[in-house]
């Protein structure tokens, strides 16, 4: 059972201690840190959100602790969840249902279901039927970057969320309170960008296993706590440099919704790959620029989404050449050697995008491999062999 | 007389479709603009008002399935890197295109002048047209229809759709066709739609009669073909539905059952409501499994993906753009799960069904994700046990005739046992 590390968040902390703090939270499918937080904040509530993008600022401003719901991974036996889904539907929803039906999500007073795909969309309907006392909202984001109608639509959705969530907590935030939440999440995203930059620059110092655990913990704790732990982690990393290895630098693409088991990430790294960019937990950095903290805060959030330059399989690509160039752009930005398309089985957004992305990558001469996983995959040998061969081939022939 | 009337509607439909594909084949020479779009949320009247011809890729895919071509088309797409896990309509369409793009009429389909991505109730639509855009390198316009997550069309969502129609869709159609938007023409097409919709609803609701003169699933996928595709808002569509209605009303008057591939069905024994799309690769075999047991589908949800007219919606020429928004929002797959359950329960009650069956297709998460919850909830509310079978849209690898037949036979035996009072 995970317990929150109280006090000393500004104090130095060993890398291992931060990682173990994060690992405890990751392993704890009872969400003990969330329950503890609720005990300490009796006037507040916990609000869940599924992948990929949900406006956490709105949850936060209305008095919720935003909690990422990412399934039970390989740490949860599915008993009830399989009764809700056919074998050809991805693993995430059955695992989320399992968490809920076993009472592990009973601390959530609201759950947001983003417009990631039809499976998550329809899960919102299941939730309405199973948990009529919980506030449920399908979060339908605009699909075109139109500063007129689309921005107005999204601003309307955000206002609706503010009203509805405010009704649940009894707290309709002022503009100033919403601006403070926006500023806090700006800081959170800035910290995540810093972590990603550190890994990109020195992947030997910032293993993705550690970074991932830290980000997963950040989905269950207050943003202030995440920022503090991340600072401690970066300070510990700077004080504890590792030796660079002759690994290949890869981008992992396609794992933005159903998360890979930690063993898969470790297997890729141990096979000789430095992961220098990825899609994991993409919602935590979906907005790539700071949201302005002046003016109408709702409009600021809406406009930030419309102006956002995040490219993702869960959004319509308005640029006809966008899919073709995306992988080359990401590889160049990360100074990577190749791409691993690691995609959850039966994931419509990732798998439908993959031919377009891969064609673009291969036309740009970027080495690629692809495999599928499920969040509860338990055998990693094949992935290790595939990734190892890929890393070797890049080193042998990549410069040719 | 009923045979003659049946023949008339069938002949009419055959002629309409043949003429349409002939016009499409000649479009590169005649210069008629071509707009690809999807069945749910199709804006056929608007497309027609610009003098353009619609192409519906799902219709082409299901036709390929019925003509036993889809297996090879899907294999072609999978060889090109498309996953075995994703929608087989998409792969069938891409495979068909890569194999020469020969359409259901046996002639080459023209390239689109515009991909009108009516994003209504199906995530895959978005990827489908992104994929087609890669192949055709043509303009694409996205029309985002908000999902009815809370079970109703919100006024601000309607306004959002109206603005998109005015600011995005109509300008894109003007550019693609070289013609100006003409609201009077649109009103004309919408008025024709409403006439045909009235007759279609009379046909659908004939399923309430005992015996039902129609099969509300297998037979009705033919009936909805014209209105779900290119012929809503056309005089041909009006003529077809009038002929069909007369034919069905006559069968009802004579107490006749539906026409099946094996001939008229006599002695209706089971009345079913079906949720989910049919399998197209073995469509006749699938239908025969029901007909052999004297099972008639009196209502189905799949036949509402292109519009829920039997719940009162009609296109309204007095509100030309608003009515298009209302139409798109109300298509079946744009409704949330609770609304879908309400609809099924209502069908079971009003059509006096004694069975409920879900055909869950591997390809379509929009339909399939949540169907086990639908099954459970409908059973709870109606007290009628449901049956659950699995197949696919157009991938022949996922149709297991023996398994489906066994399950259906067991289900019908269970209904018999319940009627005999042997089970609770």
């Amino acid at each position: 059972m995970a317990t929150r590390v109280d006090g000393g968040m500004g104090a130095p902390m060993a890398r291992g201690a931060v990682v173990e703090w994060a690992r405890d939270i990751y392993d704890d499918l009872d969400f003990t840190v969330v329950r503890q937080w609720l005990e300490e904040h009796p006037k507040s509530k916990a609000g869940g959100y599924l992948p990929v993008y949900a406006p956490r600022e709105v949850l936060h401003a209305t008095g919720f602790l935003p909690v990422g719901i990412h399934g039970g991974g390989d740490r949860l036996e599915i008993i009830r969840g399989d009764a809700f889904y056919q074998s050809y539907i991805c693993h995430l929803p059955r695992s989320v249902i399992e968490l809920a039906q076993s009472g592990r999500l009973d601390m959530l007073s609201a759950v947001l279901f983003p417009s990631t795909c039809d499976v998550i969309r329809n899960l919102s309907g299941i939730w309405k039927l199973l948990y009529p006392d919980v506030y449920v909202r399908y979060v339908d984001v605009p699909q075109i970057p139109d500063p007129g109608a689309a921005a107005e639509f999204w601003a309307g959705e955000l206002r609706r969320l503010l009203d509805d969530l405010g009704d649940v907590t009894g707290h309709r935030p002022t503009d100033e309170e919403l601006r403070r939440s926006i500023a806090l999440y700006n800081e959170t995203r800035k910290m995540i960008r810093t972590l990603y930059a550190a890994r990109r620059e020195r992947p030997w110092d910032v293993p993705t296993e550690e970074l991932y655990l830290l980000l997963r913990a950040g989905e269950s704790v207050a943003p202030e706590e995440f920022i503090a732990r991340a600072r401690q982690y970066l300070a510990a990393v700077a004080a504890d440099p590792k030796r660079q290895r002759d690994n290949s630098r890869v981008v992992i693409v396609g794992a933005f919704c159903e998360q890979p088991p930690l063993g898969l990430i470790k297997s890729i790294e141990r096979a000789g790959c430095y992961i220098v960019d990825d899609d994991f937990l993409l919602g935590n950095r979906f907005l790539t620029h700071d949201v302005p903290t002046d003016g109408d805060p709702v409009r600021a959030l809406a406009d930030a989404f419309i102006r956002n330059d995040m490219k993702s399989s869960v959004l319509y690509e308005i640029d006809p050449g966008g899919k073709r160039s995306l992988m080359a752009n990401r590889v160049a930005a990360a100074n990577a050697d190749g791409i691993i398309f690691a995609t959850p089985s039966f994931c419509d957004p990732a798998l439908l995008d993959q031919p377009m992305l891969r064609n673009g990558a291969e036309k740009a001469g970027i080495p690629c491999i692809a495999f599928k996983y499920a969040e509860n995959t338990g055998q990693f040998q094949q992935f290790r062999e595939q990734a190892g061969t890929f890393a070797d081939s890049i080193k042998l022939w990549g410069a040719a | 007389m009923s045979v003659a009337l049946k023949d008339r509607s069938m002949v009419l439909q055959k002629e309409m479709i043949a003429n349409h594909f002939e016009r499409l084949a000649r479009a590169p020479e005649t210069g008629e603009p071509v707009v690809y779009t999807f069945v749910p949320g199709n804006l056929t009247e608007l497309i027609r008002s610009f003098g353009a011809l619609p192409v519906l890729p799902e219709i082409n895919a299901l036709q390929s399935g019925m003509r036993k071509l889809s297996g090879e088309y899907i294999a072609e797409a999978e060889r090109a890197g498309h996953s075995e896990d994703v929608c087989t309509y998409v792969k069938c369409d891409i495979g068909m295109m890569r194999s020469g793009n020969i359409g259901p009429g046996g002639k080459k389909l023209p390239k689109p002048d515009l991909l009108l991505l009516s994003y209504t109730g199906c995530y895959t639509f978005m990827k489908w047209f992104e994929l087609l855009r890669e192949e055709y390198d043509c303009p694409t316009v996205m029309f985002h229809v908000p999902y009815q997550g809370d079970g109703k069309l919100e006024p601000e969502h309607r306004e959002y759709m109206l603005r998109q129609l005015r600011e995005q869709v109509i300008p894109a159609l003007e550019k693609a066709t070289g013609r100006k938007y003409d609201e009077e023409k649109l009103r004309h097409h919408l008025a024709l739609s409403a006439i045909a919709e009235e007759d279609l609803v009379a046909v659908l609701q004939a399923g309430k009669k005992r015996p039902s003169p129609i099969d509300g699933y297998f037979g009705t996928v033919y009936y909805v073909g014209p209105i779900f595709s290119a012929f809503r808002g056309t005089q041909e569509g009006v003529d077809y539905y009038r002929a069909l209605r007369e034919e069905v009303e006559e069968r009802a008057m004579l107490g006749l059952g539906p026409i099946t591939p094996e001939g008229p069905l006599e002695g209706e024994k089971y009345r079913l409501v079906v949720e989910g799309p049919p399998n197209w690769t073995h469509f006749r075999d699938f239908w025969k499994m029901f007909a052999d047991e004297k099972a008639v589908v009196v209502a189905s949800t799949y036949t509402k993906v292109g519009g829920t007219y039997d719940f009162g919606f009609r296109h309204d020429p007095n509100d030309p753009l608003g009515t298009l928004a209302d139409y798109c929002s109300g298509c079946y797959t744009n409704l949330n799960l609770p609304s879908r359950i309400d609809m099924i329960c209502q069908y079971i009650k009003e059509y006096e069904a004694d069975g409920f069956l879900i055909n869950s297709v591997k390809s379509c998460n929009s339909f399939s994700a949540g169907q086990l919850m639908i099954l459970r909830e409908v059973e709870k509310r109606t007290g009628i046990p449901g049956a659950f079978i699995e197949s696919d849209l157009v991938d022949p690898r996922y149709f297991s005739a023996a398994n489906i037949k066994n399950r259906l036979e067991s289900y019908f035996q269970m209904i018999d046992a319940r009627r005999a009072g042997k089970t609770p």
Side-chain angles (χ1 to χ4, degrees), chain A residues 81-286:
Chain A
D82 280 342
F84 287 81
Y85 286 101
Q86 304 90 314
S87 57
Y88 47 78
I89 288 174
C90 60
H91 200 270
L92 178 71
R94 68 193 75 224
S95 154
V96 171
I97 287 276
E98 186 71 35
L99 287 171
Q101 290 278 284
S102 58
R104 291 177 171 98
L105 301 180
D106 61 4
M107 73 296 185
L108 299 177
S109 303
V111 184
L112 306 183
F113 296 82
S115 55
T116 297
C117 69
D118 292 337
V119 173
I120 288 185
R121 183 196 72 182
N122 288 4
L123 182 56
S124 70
I126 292 179
W127 222 269
K128 277 179 184 282
L129 292 160
L130 288 176
Y131 308 108
D133 295 333
V134 174
Y135 174 75
V136 171
R137 180 80 177 164
Y138 172 67
V139 182
D140 206 350
V141 299
Q143 291 294 342
I144 49 170
D146 161 31
E152 188 56 45
F153 161 73
W154 185 226
E157 293 299 288
L158 293 169
R159 285 191 195 98
R160 168 72 181 269
L161 269 179
L162 279 167
D163 288 343
D164 289 358
L165 293 169
D167 285 346
V168 176
T169 57
H171 179 69
R172 177 65 162 86
T174 63
D175 281 359
E176 196 47 43
E177 286 171 319
L178 181 54
R179 284 189 202 105
R180 280 203 290 273
S181 294
I182 288 171
L184 186 57
Y185 278 90
N186 280 342
E187 198 182 343
T188 305
R189 285 185 288 268
K190 185 178 173 191
M191 175 54 75
I192 293 168
R193 288 197 297 271
T194 304
L195 288 163
Y196 267 70
R199 183 188 60 172
R200 191 167 58 241
E201 299 304 318
R202 302 186 309 282
W204 50 93
D205 275 339
V206 184
T208 297
E209 179 191 0
E210 294 182 2
L211 173 62
Y212 182 77
L213 285 169
L214 190 57
L215 296 178
R216 270 303 279 267
E219 299 279 304
S220 297
V221 301
E224 297 91 338
E225 185 169 5
F226 165 73
I227 292 165
R229 296 295 171 214
R231 282 201 188 108
Q232 288 171 321
Y233 177 76
L234 285 170
V237 163
D240 177 30
K242 305 285 187 192
R243 185 170 58 88
Q244 182 175 358
R245 294 177 186 276
D246 183 24
N247 286 358
S248 296
R249 297 168 60 91
V250 300
V251 178
I252 307 288
V253 174
F256 45 82
C257 183
E258 180 175 322
Q259 294 297 288
L262 198 58
L264 177 56
I265 295 172
K266 286 194 281 192
S267 295
I268 292 170
E269 293 194 299
R270 288 175 188 173
C273 295
Y274 284 137
I275 299 172
V276 290
D277 188 17
D278 60 61
D279 293 336
F280 307 148
L281 303 168
L282 188 63
N284 67 15
R285 55 195 183 282
F286 206 83

Side-chain angles (χ1 to χ4, degrees), chain A residues 80 82-89 101 115-119 121-126 128-130 135-138 140-144 146 148-153 156-157 160 164 312-324 344-356 359 372, chain B residues 80-87 90 98 117 119-124 126-128 130-131 133-134 137-138 140-142 144-147 149-150 152 154 156-157 160 163-164 167-168 333-338 340-341 360-363 365-373 376-377 381 388-391:
Chain A
R80 304 166 187 87
D82 280 342
F84 287 81
Y85 286 101
Q86 304 90 314
S87 57
Y88 47 78
I89 288 174
Q101 290 278 284
S115 55
T116 297
C117 69
D118 292 337
V119 173
R121 183 196 72 182
N122 288 4
L123 182 56
S124 70
I126 292 179
K128 277 179 184 282
L129 292 160
L130 288 176
Y135 174 75
V136 171
R137 180 80 177 164
Y138 172 67
D140 206 350
V141 299
Q143 291 294 342
I144 49 170
D146 161 31
E152 188 56 45
F153 161 73
E157 293 299 288
R160 168 72 181 269
D164 289 358
S312 164
S313 300
V314 301
L315 290 177
Y316 175 62
E317 173 56 72
I318 197 161
D319 173 9
K323 293 289 177 195
R324 269 167 267 158
S345 294
F346 303 110
C347 176
D348 279 343
L351 290 169
L352 286 161
D353 246 8
Q354 194 169 300
M356 293 181 277
N359 282 345
K372 291 189 287 187
Chain B
H82 295 263
S83 169
E84 70 254 35
D85 289 357
V86 302
C87 174
V90 177
R98 288 176 171 234
L117 202 185
Y119 184 50
T120 306
C122 170
Y123 166 83
T124 297
M126 185 160 78
K127 295 290 134 188
W128 193 339
E130 284 179 352
L131 284 159
R133 186 177 61 190
E134 295 287 307
D137 194 22
C138 68
T140 310
V141 62
M142 149 73 87
H144 176 196
V145 176
Y147 181 64
D150 286 340
K152 59 183 187 294
E154 310 281 354
E156 57 271 27
H157 292 179
Y160 174 44
R163 283 193 65 181
Q164 289 180 81
E167 296 169 12
Q168 306 280 346
T333 44
N334 204 50
L335 307 181
N336 72 0
L337 238 54
R340 287 169 61 183
I341 290 166
S360 183
V361 296
K362 174 182 173 288
S363 272
N365 284 336
S366 178
F367 258 106
S368 301
Q371 278 180 327
L372 287 165
M373 183 76 202
R376 191 181 309 184
E377 200 65 18
R381 290 193 203 174
F388 199 88
I389 56 176
E390 293 179 316
S391 64

Side-chain angles (χ1 to χ4, degrees), chain B residues 10-323:
Chain B
M10 285 184 71
V11 168
L12 273 176
Q13 182 171 152
K14 203 171 174 181
E15 284 174 3
M16 288 156 68
I17 290 172
N19 289 341
H20 182 64
F21 281 104
E22 183 61 32
R23 277 176 76 180
L24 284 171
R26 293 199 341 262
E29 295 103 66
T30 61
E32 284 191 288
V34 175
V35 175
Y36 285 27
T37 194
F38 294 109
V39 171
N42 73 73
L43 303 173
T44 300
E45 297 87 351
L46 187 63
I47 293 169
R48 290 282 190 182
S49 76
F50 281 93
L53 298 173
V55 170
L56 290 301
E58 309 108 296
I59 304 284
N60 296 341
L62 73 87
Q63 291 273 0
S64 296
M66 293 179 102
R67 291 184 296 141
K68 310 287 186 195
L69 297 170
S70 56
E72 184 45 43
Y73 290 157
I74 290 166
E76 173 68 26
E78 289 181 357
R79 282 194 291 272
H82 295 263
S83 169
E84 70 254 35
D85 289 357
V86 302
C87 174
T88 52
Y89 270 177
V90 177
K91 288 185 287 187
C92 182
D93 188 38
I94 286 172
M96 183 182 86
M97 190 186 57
R98 288 176 171 234
S99 306
N101 217 17
I102 305 301
K107 294 186 177 171
K108 190 176 172 69
L109 287 169
K111 289 182 177 177
D113 294 291
L114 179 69
L115 293 169
L116 198 174
L117 202 185
S118 181
Y119 184 50
T120 306
C122 170
Y123 166 83
T124 297
F125 286 167
M126 185 160 78
K127 295 290 134 188
W128 193 339
F129 271 13
E130 284 179 352
L131 284 159
L132 285 196
R133 186 177 61 190
E134 295 287 307
E135 305 280 349
Y136 287 119
D137 194 22
C138 68
T140 310
V141 62
M142 149 73 87
F143 176 49
H144 176 196
V145 176
Y147 181 64
Q148 287 198 14
D150 286 340
K152 59 183 187 294
L153 170 58
E154 310 281 354
E156 57 271 27
H157 292 179
R158 190 176 192 267
E159 180 57 31
Y160 174 44
M161 286 188 276
L162 286 174
R163 283 193 65 181
Q164 289 180 81
L165 287 169
R166 288 190 210 105
E167 296 169 12
Q168 306 280 346
V169 177
I170 288 173
L173 280 162
E174 286 181 330
K175 193 170 177 189
T177 62
R179 292 165 192 171
K180 295 296 289 179
Y181 171 58
D182 182 338
E183 195 151 280
E184 283 313 305
K185 274 190 185 168
L186 177 57
R187 287 181 203 277
H188 165 73
H189 289 296
L190 291 167
L192 293 175
S193 294
I195 296 168
E197 287 156 5
E198 198 67 29
D199 285 336
L200 170 65
V201 170
V203 170
L204 296 173
Q205 294 190 336
K208 293 179 183 175
K209 297 187 184 301
R210 282 181 182 268
S212 169
I214 64 161
D215 185 285
Y217 186 52
F218 298 104
T220 301
V221 298
Y222 289 102
Y223 301 158
V224 296
I227 207 160
F228 279 15
S229 58
F231 299 100
R232 211 178 62 215
T234 66
Q235 188 59 47
E236 298 107 296
V238 169
D239 295 343
Y240 169 77
Y241 284 101
R242 179 51 48 92
L244 179 66
R245 179 179 183 169
E246 288 171 1
E247 170 192 323
V248 168
E249 286 180 346
E250 182 173 23
R251 281 213 302 272
M253 195 177 67
L254 297 172
L256 299 174
I259 305 294
T260 77
E262 309 300 310
L265 189 147
E266 293 173 7
E268 171 188 289
K269 194 173 172 190
Y270 308 103
R271 295 170 63 83
L272 305 177
V273 168
V274 174
E275 145 78 13
N279 164 273
W280 300 108
T281 56
H282 299 73
F283 185 80
R284 286 193 161 223
D285 299 338
F286 194 23
W287 190 351
K288 190 170 183 299
M289 290 179 199
F290 289 73
D292 285 350
E293 298 285 343
K294 309 285 185 197
V296 177
V297 181
V298 288
S300 65
T301 55
Y302 173 71
T303 52
K304 314 300 156 23
V305 292
T308 46
Y309 303 110
D310 54 340
F311 284 81
F313 173 79
R314 300 287 182 277
H315 281 91
D316 178 6
N318 295 315
D319 181 13
L321 296 183
T323 200

